Amino acid sequence: MLISSYNPNELGDTLICILNPDADTQAVGTKKDVTRIYDAETNVTLGLNFAHVSSKLGKVPVIGQVFLSQEQINKLNTYLQSVGFEAELKPDLESKFIVGYVKTAEPHPDSDHLLVTQTIVDHDQEVQLVSGSPNMKAKIKVVVAKVGAMMPNGLIIWPGSLRGVKSDGMICSGRELGLPNAPQKKGALILPESDDVFKVGEAFDFTQGAKLFQPSAK
């Protein structure tokens, strides 16, 4: 997994690369322009911060989440090796926002408002997602933020659980997706049943999604 972001206004010319969730036993090591954050118990890399990244990749044109190409990954890995770190970056270009189909939605065993869904995403994969959306039900099309997704507000989706029930991702509202004019309240974005635009298992098209809340779409 690789989640990269760039915000020069807040962090200067630094690329943040997140590979794994935070750990309780975190440690930090810096060599030249690279800071490695890792689990002190397992030595697993949690993240890598590249200072002065423009000198390694050229100008980074994106502010926010950055999807690094194979060529960019190669350059960063070469730099990692040159300073004595492992070249462990791998590209992750698959969309993490997928049109899903809620196959089942059952009551949570320890909650009166949560539902435990079995939801179909890409590659015919079925994932368990716990949802508190008041409009959640079975047999609807939704937008799923898979594990590894970075939400528009910067939140990263990791495997987790809600009241003891495993949940590997999140079913999103229009507000959470940052869609213009989306209602600023709880409730999953339920996509039209027609497969003309939003097909189950395919990447969610944010441009088409924004049209759902245009006045002409009502």
Side-chain angles (χ1 to χ4, degrees):
M1 184 179 301
L2 175 61
I3 305 166
S4 304
S5 64
Y6 183 71
N7 188 342
N9 296 327
E10 296 293 332
L11 300 173
D13 188 25
T14 299
L15 181 73
I16 307 298
C17 295
I18 300 171
L19 282 68
N20 288 291
D22 289 343
D24 293 333
T25 54
Q26 289 187 186
V28 175
T30 299
K31 296 181 180 180
K32 294 189 177 180
D33 284 346
V34 182
T35 297
R36 176 179 179 250
I37 302 94
Y38 61 98
D39 186 330
E41 288 189 352
T42 64
N43 199 36
V44 170
T45 300
L46 308 177
L48 294 161
N49 298 344
F50 293 87
H52 310 296
V53 71
S54 295
S55 67
K56 301 160 188 64
L57 298 182
K59 183 179 180 181
V60 181
V62 176
I63 296 178
Q65 187 169 12
V66 179
F67 295 94
L68 298 171
S69 67
Q70 183 66 65
E71 181 181 2
Q72 291 171 317
I73 292 289
N74 292 342
K75 289 180 179 179
L76 293 177
N77 275 335
T78 297
Y79 185 75
L80 285 170
Q81 286 182 313
S82 74
V83 300
F85 282 133
E86 181 183 351
E88 57 182 314
L89 293 178
K90 298 178 182 178
D92 187 357
L93 299 177
E94 281 197 354
S95 176
K96 297 297 187 292
F97 294 93
I98 301 296
V99 177
Y101 179 76
V102 180
K103 185 177 177 181
T104 62
E106 302 294 338
H108 189 291
D110 190 33
S111 171
D112 60 2
H113 71 282
L114 297 174
L115 292 175
V116 181
T117 78
Q118 301 299 322
T119 300
I120 307 298
V121 289
D122 51 343
H123 308 299
D124 292 324
Q125 181 185 13
E126 185 173 311
V127 294
Q128 181 167 285
L129 305 171
V130 179
S131 174
S133 295
N135 59 342
M136 185 51 53
K137 58 184 179 180
K139 299 182 180 179
I140 57 174
K141 283 202 298 185
V142 294
V143 182
V144 176
K146 295 177 61 180
V147 169
M150 176 180 280
M151 304 299 294
N153 66 0
L155 174 70
I156 296 174
I157 304 300
W158 296 114
S161 64
L162 288 173
R163 294 201 177 183
V165 175
K166 183 179 179 182
S167 184
D168 285 330
M170 182 174 76
I171 296 174
C172 304
S173 67
R175 176 186 62 178
E176 290 166 332
L177 293 168
L179 298 178
N181 303 315
Q184 298 302 297
K185 60 182 181 180
K186 291 183 177 181
L189 172 58
I190 300 177
L191 298 171
E193 291 185 9
S194 169
D195 278 346
D196 292 340
V197 177
F198 304 106
K199 295 183 179 180
V200 173
E202 294 189 357
F204 174 67
D205 187 326
F206 278 77
T207 300
Q208 294 297 326
K211 293 179 180 180
L212 295 172
F213 298 105
Q214 292 178 354
S216 60
K218 297 180 180 179

Short mmCIF file of all heavy atoms in Angstrom, two decimals, residues 45-67:
data_model
loop_
_atom_site.label_atom_id
_atom_site.label_comp_id
_atom_site.label_asym_id
_atom_site.label_seq_id
_atom_site.Cartn_x
_atom_site.Cartn_y
_atom_site.Cartn_z
N THR A 45 8.24 -0.59 8.05
CA THR A 45 8.15 0.84 7.71
C THR A 45 6.69 1.28 7.70
O THR A 45 5.84 0.67 7.06
CB THR A 45 8.78 1.10 6.34
OG1 THR A 45 10.16 0.72 6.37
CG2 THR A 45 8.68 2.58 5.98
N LEU A 46 6.41 2.35 8.42
CA LEU A 46 5.07 2.92 8.45
C LEU A 46 4.93 4.08 7.46
O LEU A 46 3.87 4.28 6.87
CB LEU A 46 4.74 3.41 9.86
CG LEU A 46 4.94 2.38 10.98
CD1 LEU A 46 4.64 3.02 12.33
CD2 LEU A 46 4.08 1.15 10.76
N GLY A 47 6.02 4.84 7.31
CA GLY A 47 5.98 5.96 6.39
C GLY A 47 7.36 6.47 6.06
O GLY A 47 8.34 6.21 6.77
N LEU A 48 7.45 7.22 4.95
CA LEU A 48 8.70 7.83 4.51
C LEU A 48 8.41 9.27 4.10
O LEU A 48 7.48 9.52 3.32
CB LEU A 48 9.30 7.07 3.33
CG LEU A 48 9.76 5.64 3.60
CD1 LEU A 48 9.88 4.87 2.29
CD2 LEU A 48 11.11 5.66 4.33
N ASN A 49 9.16 10.21 4.64
CA ASN A 49 9.01 11.61 4.28
C ASN A 49 10.24 12.05 3.49
O ASN A 49 11.36 11.93 3.96
CB ASN A 49 8.87 12.48 5.53
CG ASN A 49 7.64 12.13 6.35
OD1 ASN A 49 6.73 11.46 5.86
ND2 ASN A 49 7.61 12.57 7.58
N PHE A 50 10.01 12.57 2.29
CA PHE A 50 11.10 13.02 1.42
C PHE A 50 11.15 14.54 1.41
O PHE A 50 10.26 15.19 0.84
CB PHE A 50 10.89 12.51 -0.01
CG PHE A 50 10.99 11.02 -0.15
CD1 PHE A 50 9.88 10.21 0.05
CD2 PHE A 50 12.20 10.42 -0.47
CE1 PHE A 50 9.97 8.83 -0.10
CE2 PHE A 50 12.30 9.04 -0.62
CZ PHE A 50 11.18 8.24 -0.42
N ALA A 51 12.17 15.11 2.05
CA ALA A 51 12.37 16.56 2.01
C ALA A 51 13.00 16.95 0.67
O ALA A 51 13.64 16.13 0.01
CB ALA A 51 13.26 17.00 3.16
N HIS A 52 12.77 18.22 0.27
CA HIS A 52 13.33 18.73 -0.99
C HIS A 52 13.00 17.78 -2.15
O HIS A 52 13.84 17.47 -2.99
CB HIS A 52 14.84 18.92 -0.88
CG HIS A 52 15.26 19.70 0.33
ND1 HIS A 52 14.90 21.02 0.53
CD2 HIS A 52 15.99 19.34 1.42
CE1 HIS A 52 15.40 21.45 1.69
NE2 HIS A 52 16.06 20.43 2.24
N VAL A 53 11.75 17.33 -2.19
CA VAL A 53 11.38 16.30 -3.15
C VAL A 53 11.47 16.79 -4.60
O VAL A 53 11.69 16.00 -5.52
CB VAL A 53 9.98 15.74 -2.84
CG1 VAL A 53 8.89 16.76 -3.16
CG2 VAL A 53 9.74 14.43 -3.59
N SER A 54 11.32 18.10 -4.81
CA SER A 54 11.39 18.62 -6.18
C SER A 54 12.76 18.39 -6.81
O SER A 54 12.88 18.28 -8.03
CB SER A 54 11.05 20.11 -6.20
OG SER A 54 9.71 20.31 -5.81
N SER A 55 13.80 18.30 -5.98
CA SER A 55 15.13 18.03 -6.51
C SER A 55 15.28 16.59 -6.96
O SER A 55 16.25 16.26 -7.66
CB SER A 55 16.19 18.36 -5.45
OG SER A 55 16.10 17.46 -4.35
N LYS A 56 14.34 15.75 -6.59
CA LYS A 56 14.40 14.33 -6.95
C LYS A 56 13.38 13.99 -8.03
O LYS A 56 13.64 13.12 -8.87
CB LYS A 56 14.15 13.48 -5.71
CG LYS A 56 15.18 13.75 -4.60
CD LYS A 56 14.69 13.32 -3.25
CE LYS A 56 15.64 13.77 -2.14
NZ LYS A 56 15.73 15.25 -2.01
N LEU A 57 12.23 14.64 -8.02
CA LEU A 57 11.17 14.31 -8.97
C LEU A 57 10.85 15.44 -9.94
O LEU A 57 10.07 15.25 -10.87
CB LEU A 57 9.88 13.95 -8.22
CG LEU A 57 9.90 12.74 -7.29
CD1 LEU A 57 8.53 12.53 -6.69
CD2 LEU A 57 10.36 11.49 -8.02
N GLY A 58 11.46 16.61 -9.73
CA GLY A 58 11.00 17.77 -10.47
C GLY A 58 9.80 18.38 -9.76
O GLY A 58 9.38 17.91 -8.70
N LYS A 59 9.21 19.39 -10.35
CA LYS A 59 8.07 20.07 -9.71
C LYS A 59 6.91 19.11 -9.54
O LYS A 59 6.52 18.40 -10.47
CB LYS A 59 7.64 21.27 -10.55
CG LYS A 59 6.50 22.06 -9.92
CD LYS A 59 6.12 23.25 -10.76
CE LYS A 59 4.97 24.02 -10.11
NZ LYS A 59 4.55 25.19 -10.94
N VAL A 60 6.34 19.08 -8.34
CA VAL A 60 5.14 18.27 -8.07
C VAL A 60 3.93 19.15 -8.32
O VAL A 60 3.69 20.11 -7.60
CB VAL A 60 5.14 17.74 -6.62
CG1 VAL A 60 3.90 16.88 -6.38
CG2 VAL A 60 6.41 16.93 -6.35
N PRO A 61 3.13 18.85 -9.37
CA PRO A 61 2.05 19.76 -9.75
C PRO A 61 0.78 19.63 -8.93
O PRO A 61 -0.14 20.43 -9.05
CB PRO A 61 1.78 19.36 -11.21
CG PRO A 61 2.13 17.91 -11.27
CD PRO A 61 3.28 17.73 -10.31
N VAL A 62 0.71 18.61 -8.08
CA VAL A 62 -0.52 18.31 -7.34
C VAL A 62 -0.37 18.71 -5.88
O VAL A 62 0.66 18.46 -5.26
CB VAL A 62 -0.85 16.80 -7.43
CG1 VAL A 62 -2.07 16.47 -6.57
CG2 VAL A 62 -1.08 16.40 -8.87
N ILE A 63 -1.40 19.36 -5.34
CA ILE A 63 -1.47 19.62 -3.90
C ILE A 63 -2.56 18.71 -3.34
O ILE A 63 -3.70 18.74 -3.77
CB ILE A 63 -1.78 21.09 -3.60
CG1 ILE A 63 -0.63 21.98 -4.10
CG2 ILE A 63 -2.01 21.31 -2.11
CD1 ILE A 63 -0.87 23.46 -3.88
N GLY A 64 -2.18 17.89 -2.39
CA GLY A 64 -3.10 16.89 -1.85
C GLY A 64 -2.54 15.51 -2.15
O GLY A 64 -1.33 15.30 -2.15
N GLN A 65 -3.43 14.55 -2.41
CA GLN A 65 -2.96 13.20 -2.69
C GLN A 65 -2.25 13.14 -4.03
O GLN A 65 -2.71 13.71 -5.03
CB GLN A 65 -4.12 12.21 -2.66
CG GLN A 65 -3.67 10.75 -2.78
CD GLN A 65 -4.76 9.76 -2.49
OE1 GLN A 65 -5.94 10.11 -2.40
NE2 GLN A 65 -4.40 8.50 -2.35
N VAL A 66 -1.13 12.45 -4.06
CA VAL A 66 -0.31 12.31 -5.26
C VAL A 66 -0.25 10.83 -5.64
O VAL A 66 0.06 9.98 -4.79
CB VAL A 66 1.12 12.84 -5.03
CG1 VAL A 66 1.97 12.65 -6.29
CG2 VAL A 66 1.09 14.30 -4.60
N PHE A 67 -0.54 10.53 -6.90
CA PHE A 67 -0.44 9.15 -7.38
C PHE A 67 0.87 9.04 -8.16
O PHE A 67 0.99 9.54 -9.28
CB PHE A 67 -1.65 8.79 -8.24
CG PHE A 67 -2.94 8.78 -7.48
CD1 PHE A 67 -3.74 9.90 -7.43
CD2 PHE A 67 -3.32 7.65 -6.77
CE1 PHE A 67 -4.92 9.90 -6.70
CE2 PHE A 67 -4.50 7.63 -6.03
CZ PHE A 67 -5.30 8.76 -5.99
#
